[in-house]
Each structure stands twice: as C-alpha cells, then as structure tokens.
Amino acid sequence: MSLTLPSPLPAAPSSAATVPALPAVALPLPDTAWGAAEAREAFAEARLALPFDLPEPTVVSDLTTVVLRSGDHAVKVYPPGTDHTHLARLATALAGSATVLLPVAGPVVTSSGVVSVSPWLHDAHPVDWAGTGALLRRFHTEHADADVPVWEPLQ
C-alpha cells in the first residue's frame, strides 16, 4: 500500500456558496505565559485569605485553568481577570446539588489568578464515556431550572 498522494492534489469542491461563513469569535483564553507557576503564586497569596490551612500543593492539571491538590482539597486556579462574582453566583445557584462538588469558601481574587477550593473527591475512579454521559444527564436533569448566571469568563 502506498501513502503517496498524487501531485498536484485535486481542488476541493467549493461550499462557500452554500454554507454561510461564521464570524470569528475570540475565545477568552489566558495569556500563554500564564500556567502552573502563576497558579502556585495565586495559591500562596490566597492561603492568607482563606479561613483554613492548606498544605503545599501538587499540580494535577495545567490547561486553561490549573488544578492543584492540597491535602484533602482540590484547588482550581483561574487566570487573572476571571469573573469571580460569576463563580460565587454559580456556587449559590447549585447549592444543595447531588451532582456537583461545591467550593468550601468563596473565590479568592489574587494578583496571579482567582482561586476556588473544593473538597478532594477521594473515592474517584476512572469513568468511561457512558458513565460521563450518565453523570451529565443527571446534572442537567437536576439543574434544568437552576438560576445559573451567564458565563463571561474573562472581563
């Protein structure tokens, strides 16, 4: 079997006449220089404002937000400029949920990011796509009428 393609490649059929172009939407992503190091700085600053002690964290995930594990807590650090009032309103709207692990304190705004602390889920285990879908279905059923605020991540 050959993986060589003929050259020049045939032109793709034009679909511009049948499919309207969508306007480009700027995604609210953090500066590419923001990541785990800045999240650790935000964590250190937030520790001063939180009503409980947190041990030194380890990085669990470093994507558009950073997740740290600090003892029995999951610490999610959002980039600077994240709307902390939205995070607080969202926690209020989902209070009493059976499908959401809610923060144990309000979000803390620091010079390096916005910090949210939740309990660490100790009994977690790998979930396949069917399990993920079932959880999302339960979440949406439970919160179909929740007064969840519109999300405008970075303002």
Side-chain angles (χ1 to χ4, degrees):
M1 169 167 41
S2 172
L3 297 178
T4 305
L5 298 175
S7 183
L9 294 174
S14 174
S15 61
T18 58
V19 178
L22 297 174
V25 176
L27 295 176
L29 298 176
D31 182 344
T32 56
W34 188 88
E38 293 74 18
R40 285 179 176 273
E41 291 171 9
F43 173 84
E45 193 176 329
R47 285 167 93 179
L48 302 172
L50 290 167
F52 44 83
D53 292 328
L54 290 171
E56 285 300 313
T58 57
V59 176
V60 175
S61 174
D62 183 1
L63 299 168
T64 56
T65 60
V66 175
V67 177
L68 308 171
R69 181 170 183 181
S70 176
D72 289 333
H73 293 92
V75 180
K76 189 165 186 181
V77 186
Y78 299 84
T82 297
D83 182 3
H84 67 284
T85 62
H86 172 81
L87 298 175
R89 290 190 318 266
L90 190 58
T92 299
L94 300 178
S97 175
T99 55
V100 176
L101 203 55
L102 293 167
V104 295
V108 179
V109 178
T110 74
S111 58
S112 300
V114 179
V115 176
S116 177
V117 181
S118 300
W120 185 263
L121 186 57
H122 289 281
D123 296 333
H125 54 83
V127 178
D128 61 11
W129 285 111
T132 301
L135 176 61
L136 287 170
R137 200 168 20 266
R138 287 194 314 270
F139 170 82
H140 287 286
T141 299
E142 179 183 5
H143 300 293
D145 297 323
D147 186 19
V148 177
V150 174
W151 178 234
E152 294 180 34
L154 299 174
Q155 295 187 3

